[in-house]
Amino acid sequence: MQQVGFHVAGREILAPLSLELSAGRVYGLIGPNGSGKSTLLKILARQLAPGTGEVRFEGQSLKEWRGRAFARRVAYMPQFMPPSDGMSVRELVALGRYPWHGALGRFGAEDRRMVESAIRRTGLAHFEDRAVDSLSGGERQRAWLALMLAQGAGCLLLDEPTSALDIAHQMEVLTIIRELCAGHEGERMSVIVILHDINLAARTCDELIALRGGRLVAHGPAQEMMQPERLAAIYGLPMGVIAHPVSGKPLSYVL
């Protein structure tokens, strides 16, 4: 992306920024509330058109991608998911095949294979006949991730997928995300995910992209970002960093 920015009624929501992201990696979008993270993710997902600049995906401007072709390559999970209206897990996951056959197309053998694979990879085989609304928060998030996997996209855009989850379910969802990027069944996905817990972000992501006040303030390998001065500049608070007692990796805390 080159000089991508966004304005609303003359107010700058996202200052022009330029980034080049590599395939097959997990990128974490971090920063305080109101820093422009969701706006940037929506631009990448074609939910918003940038006010300035251009985003290119696989060498082609986002404006040039046709809708279904883009949906076959990029899957987007917003912060608040729509109601599932009594659908079972399997029915919800099957919706991920819509970009491939449309509303009137035939649901064929490849569609069934992708749905089965997505359910298996997210550990939902025992829940596939359950109503999505009856699942726990972590199980529901896994069901939506399964829909995205069934979609067959090579890039996942996730807006706070661990919000409102307890620590066990947060780790469950983030472990799945990490495994997807590590590669499975011959596939290796790219992931851009918004996370508020900096320690979980550093643990999960290859690189962190930090925004504050709509501006890019830092970008680099996750472990290198875990420095007191950098974290203080991102969050506007005095921060400290210690080594994890087992792994030795840096852990941040507020002073």
Side-chain angles (χ1 to χ4, degrees):
M1 68 189 81
Q2 291 292 325
Q3 293 298 302
V4 170
F6 188 76
H7 299 74
V8 173
R11 177 172 169 246
E12 187 177 67
I13 305 298
L14 190 66
L17 61 88
S18 297
L19 286 170
E20 185 171 341
L21 306 182
S22 302
R25 295 177 69 76
V26 179
Y27 290 92
L29 282 177
I30 62 170
N33 290 337
S35 59
K37 302 184 299 297
S38 291
T39 297
L40 177 57
L41 202 69
K42 287 177 181 178
I43 290 172
L44 298 180
R46 296 210 321 175
Q47 302 295 304
L48 290 175
T52 62
E54 180 186 52
V55 179
R56 299 184 70 84
F57 176 66
E58 296 183 347
Q60 185 175 343
S61 172
L62 291 194
K63 294 182 294 186
E64 298 171 357
W65 280 86
R66 297 180 67 86
R68 282 176 58 180
F70 186 74
R72 292 174 180 177
R73 299 296 300 132
V74 178
Y76 169 59
M77 179 189 287
Q79 186 175 353
F80 302 105
M81 302 305 297
S84 51
D85 295 328
M87 284 188 291
S88 70
V89 169
R90 174 171 288 278
E91 290 169 337
L92 178 69
V93 176
L95 291 179
R97 300 305 297 164
Y98 180 85
W100 295 90
H101 57 66
L104 302 177
R106 182 172 175 270
F107 196 89
E110 177 64 10
D111 299 305
R112 287 189 290 273
R113 186 191 72 79
M114 292 294 291
V115 170
E116 292 289 349
S117 175
I119 289 173
R120 184 178 69 254
R121 291 168 69 181
T122 51
L124 290 169
H126 296 299
F127 301 99
E128 60 180 305
D129 296 322
R130 288 262 305 273
V132 175
D133 294 339
S134 72
L135 302 179
S136 70
E139 291 160 353
R140 282 197 301 273
Q141 289 295 72
R142 278 194 281 151
W144 285 103
L145 275 175
L147 180 153
M148 299 172 80
L149 293 183
Q151 192 171 327
C155 179
L156 307 185
L157 307 176
L158 311 173
D159 193 343
E160 296 188 46
T162 60
S163 62
L165 299 183
D166 60 44
I167 186 63
H169 285 108
Q170 288 180 28
M171 292 306 303
E172 186 177 77
V173 169
L174 293 177
T175 296
I176 292 172
I177 292 170
R178 185 69 256 177
E179 289 174 350
L180 293 175
C181 191
H184 184 83
E185 299 182 357
E187 302 173 29
R188 184 170 180 180
M189 294 185 174
S190 305
V191 180
I192 303 175
V193 55
I194 295 177
L195 294 169
H196 276 296
D197 188 314
I198 182 60
N199 290 318
L200 287 180
R203 176 182 178 132
T204 304
C205 303
D206 298 305
E207 297 184 35
L208 298 179
I209 301 164
L211 301 178
R212 180 175 174 82
R215 298 181 178 276
L216 177 67
V217 294
H219 171 213
Q223 299 305 311
E224 293 181 13
M225 294 277 282
M226 297 292 282
Q227 300 175 14
E229 298 80 9
R230 277 193 164 186
L231 296 177
I234 295 167
Y235 293 104
L237 292 169
M239 303 281 287
V241 176
I242 60 172
H244 190 284
V246 176
S247 69
K249 293 182 178 180
L251 285 173
S252 68
Y253 59 92
V254 178
L255 293 173

